[in-house]
Amino acid sequence: GANGCDGFPKIKVAIVGGGLVGTLSACYFAKRGHEVHLYELRPDIRELEHVPGRSINLALSVRGRAALKEVGLEEQLVQRHGIPMYARMIHELDGSTRSIPYGKKDQCIYSVGRRFLNESLLTAAEKYPNVHCHFNQKLVSANLKQGQMTFERQPSKEIEQVEAQLVVGADGAFSSVRKQMMKQPLCDFSQTYIPHGYLELCIPALSDGTHAMPKNYLHIWPRGRFMMIALPNQDASWTVTLFMPFDEFGKLDTPQRLLAFFKEHFPDAVPLIGEEKLVSDFFACKPSPLVSVKCGPYNIGDTALIIGDAAHAMVPFYGQGMNAGFEDCRLLDAVLLKHKFDVGPALKEFSTTRRPDAEAICGLAMYNYVEMRDLVNRKSFLIRKKVDSLLHSLMPNLWIPLYTSVTFSHMPYAQCIKNKEWQDKVRHTKQNQHDYLINKRQFYRS
Ligand SMILES: Cc1cc2nc3c(=O)[nH]c(=O)nc-3n(C[C@H](O)[C@H](O)[C@H](O)COP(=O)(O)OP(=O)(O)OC[C@H]3O[C@@H](n4cnc5c(N)ncnc54)[C@H](O)[C@@H]3O)c2cc1C
Ligand SMILES: COc1ccc2c(c1)CN(c1nc(C(=O)N(C)c3cc(Cl)c(F)cc3C(=O)O)c(Cl)s1)C2
């Protein structure tokens, strides 16, 4: 395309999916002066009363914040709207609670509203004159090598053919762009559903408009095979997510069984939610599935690319899905700039470098899911956290706990794992040395 004032070629970009990642990506491309067309299956959510769907709020950490900052949105979306969470608050069965800080006193993650984020990103994208949003448009097929897409307007089913120099698939875990990509040879794809489902409940604000639990915490009720997690909302309510195997959900098929279950496993949460609200919210919708998707390469030549959940959907047990998708947007922009918008080599480099990191965080999230049962319960989790924070304070640049490197640094995700493996080796050697010295001393004493 024509070269703009910065001397870089300007292209026509079609972004499929107006969710969190698609709308942020639209801001990045628009900021560079490209012609952006954003196609979203749903209606404009800013005109809807209630938006159905997933977790009402999310944990935003440094990776996501850095991506928002580069398009000038971190202040408005995080500092003003996000609720800082400085520690986890763990709820034991006996109702006692214990807090474990995320790091040093100023280190926190933010609870942000999903709808607020999505609406704000849409509005920010639309502010650019070179961004055009098309709602109620469902991608139904495409010839990605030619940059050709076929949309079906909802609900009329009217067909619209669209062409672009670059197609960016940000259409989520069940991506249609990815489905089209997989028709090409040499494309890997795997997806795993886990036996757990999730369901959202709500702890309403107190009558005086304040939070019913200590506000600046990520609350967790770890109960082995299942758990609950609660993040604070701006309106002083809490969004509570219950994770449980589908067959366990199936057993709670009457209000009596549901209340008995909660009184047995989450007694302190029952009065906070309220018995009527618990019953009505629980039976209002079915538990949703959780899927992990790995695939690659993420591009087809210089005409198509997938980012966000379309490329790497992960189970939510690290709170990194959106953060990773936002990081995709920032890294893609950086690699395009590095290649002076020579799209072919840039997409190839993006896919080659990002794929191992995306697969690493998908693996870490799944690891957390498996470990989760006793992750926050087992004494060793607590001891490990204390040892980690002690060693981290002694050698801040050397000893970085895994979740600190994931949540509080920009270290490539794959390197976070290497960093942990090195520490495990050192830890075991330390442990062995420790045991060795003990034995030696006993030997000489005996
Ligand atoms: C229970 C739960 C808790 C989570 N908690 C966190 C958290 O705390 N922190 C965090 O970082 N992440 C979290 N996540 C992950 C986060 O929700 C996702 O990573 C994020 O939403 C991915 O954004 P996306 O834009 O890639 O995909 P999506 O948000 O799925 O958006 C895809 C968009 O594409 C549209 N679309 C789909 N198909 C088509 C089509 N054919 N044509 C046109 N448009 C289409 C959809 O309507 C949608 O708007 C959580 C996820 C779940 C399920
Ligand atoms: C909106 O729905 C959801 C659902 C799940 C999550 C989030 C939001 C946000 N999540 C975060 N997880 C970490 C983390 O690193 N670990 C190891 C944890 C993993 C689990 Cl499962 C947990 F319960 C606590 C921690 C913890 O450490 O607090 C963060 Cl740091 S944020 C999980």
Side-chain angles (χ1 to χ4, degrees), residues 354-426:
R354 190 57 174 163
R355 189 172 170 191
D357 288 329
E359 298 194 347
I361 187 60
C362 284
L364 283 174
M366 195 61 91
Y367 167 83
N368 255 4
Y369 162 67
V370 173
E371 288 293 299
M372 168 181 77
R373 332 185 188 322
D374 37 3
L375 183 82
V376 281
N377 238 354
R378 206 169 50 211
K379 282 286 159 276
S380 66
F381 173 83
L382 294 177
I383 293 166
R384 175 157 186 171
K385 285 276 171 261
K386 294 211 180 338
V387 167
D388 272 344
S389 49
L390 173 72
L391 291 171
H392 185 49
S393 60
L394 293 173
M395 312 172 273
N397 301 325
L398 212 57
W399 193 273
I400 304 175
L402 173 64
Y403 87 86
T404 307
S405 62
V406 168
T407 310
F408 293 102
S409 93
H410 300 280
M411 184 188 286
Y413 288 121
Q415 204 186 321
C416 295
I417 293 184
K418 291 194 193 76
N419 171 53
K420 172 182 182 291
E421 279 158 359
W422 172 77
Q423 284 178 33
D424 283 352
K425 239 196 341 282
V426 166

Side-chain angles (χ1 to χ4, degrees), residues 16-22 39-42 54-55 57-60 114 137-139 151 170-173 176 198 200 231 241 243 290 307-310 316 319-323:
V16 182
L20 296 173
V21 174
Y39 294 93
E40 167 53 44
L41 157 70
R42 299 172 300 171
R54 282 155 316 178
S55 65
N57 51 19
L58 308 118
L60 179 69
R114 178 190 288 275
Q137 293 282 14
K138 179 180 182 180
L139 182 80
F151 289 95
D171 46 346
S176 299
Y198 73 92
E200 265 118 34
L231 275 70
T241 311
F243 293 97
L290 291 166
I307 56 176
D309 275 17
Q320 281 296 316
M322 162 190 62
N323 284 284

Side-chain angles (χ1 to χ4, degrees), residues 14 53 98 204 228 327:
R98 175 168 25 98
M228 253 176 13
E327 191 172 60

Side-chain angles (χ1 to χ4, degrees), residues 1-252:
N3 284 10
C5 52
D6 54 9
F8 295 139
K10 300 304 164 212
I11 57 174
K12 179 179 176 184
V13 183
I15 297 175
V16 182
L20 296 173
V21 174
T23 48
L24 180 61
S25 187
C27 292
Y28 270 92
F29 278 105
K31 185 167 159 282
R32 294 283 176 206
H34 300 293
E35 179 190 339
V36 180
H37 290 264
L38 183 67
Y39 294 93
E40 167 53 44
L41 157 70
R42 299 172 300 171
D44 184 343
I45 54 172
R46 293 167 292 181
E47 293 160 8
L48 294 183
E49 248 323 283
H50 169 69
V51 174
R54 282 155 316 178
S55 65
I56 317 296
N57 51 19
L58 308 118
L60 179 69
S61 35
V62 297
R63 294 174 196 264
R65 290 172 53 201
L68 291 171
K69 199 174 183 68
E70 282 199 16
V71 287
L73 293 170
E74 205 265 347
E75 173 63 33
Q76 167 202 343
L77 301 189
V78 185
Q79 299 310 324
R80 265 186 252 146
H81 162 84
I83 299 179
M85 300 181 284
Y86 296 96
R88 312 107 169 137
M89 180 72 86
I90 297 177
H91 294 244
E92 301 293 355
L93 197 51
D94 63 6
S96 66
T97 57
R98 175 168 25 98
S99 82
I100 307 179
Y102 278 115
K104 296 186 276 295
K105 59 190 178 315
D106 62 336
Q107 274 190 313
C108 66
I109 56 179
Y110 289 86
S111 174
V112 291
R114 178 190 288 275
R115 176 167 180 173
F116 170 84
L117 262 186
N118 209 158
E119 293 183 345
S120 307
L121 285 165
L122 269 173
T123 304
E126 271 184 346
K127 278 211 175 72
Y128 292 95
N130 44 327
V131 171
H132 312 276
C133 291
H134 310 268
F135 297 104
N136 305 303
Q137 293 282 14
K138 179 180 182 180
L139 182 80
V140 290
S141 76
N143 177 337
L144 293 175
K145 275 182 169 326
Q146 310 301 326
Q148 293 161 349
M149 296 152 282
T150 305
F151 289 95
E152 188 185 78
R153 173 171 287 284
Q154 306 301 308
S156 68
K157 302 274 182 247
E158 189 187 332
I159 293 294
E160 190 173 334
Q161 302 288 5
V162 174
E163 283 211 0
Q165 287 154 278
L166 174 60
V167 178
V168 177
D171 46 346
F174 308 101
S175 164
S176 299
V177 174
R178 187 185 63 230
K179 281 192 194 88
Q180 296 298 326
M181 273 189 163
M182 291 302 135
K183 289 177 181 168
Q184 303 291 323
L186 301 177
C187 279
D188 303 327
F189 171 73
S190 74
Q191 84 181 14
T192 310
Y193 280 92
I194 59 172
H196 279 64
Y198 73 92
L199 187 134
E200 265 118 34
L201 299 165
C202 169
I203 292 178
L206 296 179
S207 47
D208 65 359
T210 60
H211 284 82
M213 300 189 293
K215 173 180 176 181
N216 297 95
Y217 294 86
L218 185 146
H219 291 255
I220 314 170
W221 291 258
R223 297 290 185 271
R225 269 168 57 83
F226 40 85
M227 66 170 265
M228 253 176 13
I229 191 165
L231 275 70
N233 292 312
Q234 276 297 355
D235 63 1
S237 69
W238 296 82
T239 298
V240 182
T241 311
L242 170 63
F243 293 97
M244 201 156 69
F246 280 103
D247 53 22
E248 300 278 344
F249 272 113
K251 294 173 192 163
L252 306 180

